Amino acid sequence: MPDLLVSLYSTQLAELKHRADHVGASIRPALPPELHLVVNWVREHFSENWASEVSVAFSRQPVACLVAVAGGMLKGFACYDTTARGFFGPTGVDPQARGKGIGLALFSACLQTMKTLGHAYAFIGDAGPVEFYARTTGAIIIPAPDKGIYEGMLRSMPK
């Protein structure tokens, strides 16, 4: 999967924010006492690698993880500045809550936060839904002949 580049000064970001404003969840920065809840939820729903990245996001000041909460329950998360400065992700939404705009709202809020913190661009490493990112923000593929930052990363061995 390729890495992508998003201009945080694109006019598409205002349109994205407008589309994301009316989801059935509250999007907010995670609080430090929620670390164990969010990390465990990410580990259970996604992967150990992503749980590690979320732990890093909680070590930042301010916490570099946004959460989506509905009905007092965690419905999704999105991080930035974890694997590398300027990186968006990881991000994920509870499978039962998908298709309701929560992922879009988390993505929008993260990009807005990154812009406020002084980033001019966001990188999306190993981007899965390339077409989604291109359509919603004008993200472009970064031409690179190799795997990038994740090349040679240690991985858990299957049991």
Side-chain angles (χ1 to χ4, degrees):
M1 291 181 275
D3 290 346
L4 303 178
L5 182 67
V6 177
S7 168
L8 299 181
Y9 290 91
S10 167
T11 56
Q12 287 180 273
L13 292 186
E15 186 179 311
L16 176 64
K17 184 179 181 323
H18 178 72
R19 287 179 50 207
D21 277 344
H22 306 289
V23 299
S26 171
I27 308 297
R28 63 169 176 78
L31 299 172
E34 297 171 322
L35 171 103
H36 68 288
L37 296 169
V38 178
V39 169
N40 289 338
W41 186 88
V42 170
R43 182 179 293 112
E44 178 184 326
H45 288 84
F46 298 98
S47 73
E48 191 68 44
N49 289 344
W50 281 14
S52 294
E53 289 180 287
V54 170
S55 293
V56 170
F58 270 84
S59 74
R60 303 274 189 236
Q61 192 56 265
V63 172
C65 181
L66 303 180
V67 292
V69 178
M73 302 294 293
L74 183 59
K75 299 297 178 181
F77 76 101
C79 299
Y80 60 92
D81 286 347
T82 57
T83 299
R85 296 285 183 187
F87 264 52
F88 165 77
T91 184
V93 174
D94 184 318
Q96 303 301 315
R98 292 180 185 160
K100 299 176 181 167
I102 293 171
L104 185 77
L106 284 163
F107 181 45
S108 176
C110 254
L111 295 181
Q112 295 297 330
T113 300
M114 291 174 77
K115 182 178 178 182
T116 299
L117 291 173
H119 293 284
Y121 296 91
F123 303 96
I124 306 171
D126 255 357
V130 173
E131 296 78 22
F132 166 79
Y133 292 126
R135 184 178 67 252
T136 58
T137 65
I140 59 170
I141 292 175
I142 300 171
D146 55 21
K147 183 76 173 140
I149 197 167
Y150 299 103
E151 183 70 31
M153 184 176 96
L154 297 173
R155 301 191 186 268
S156 299
M157 298 301 289
K159 294 180 180 183

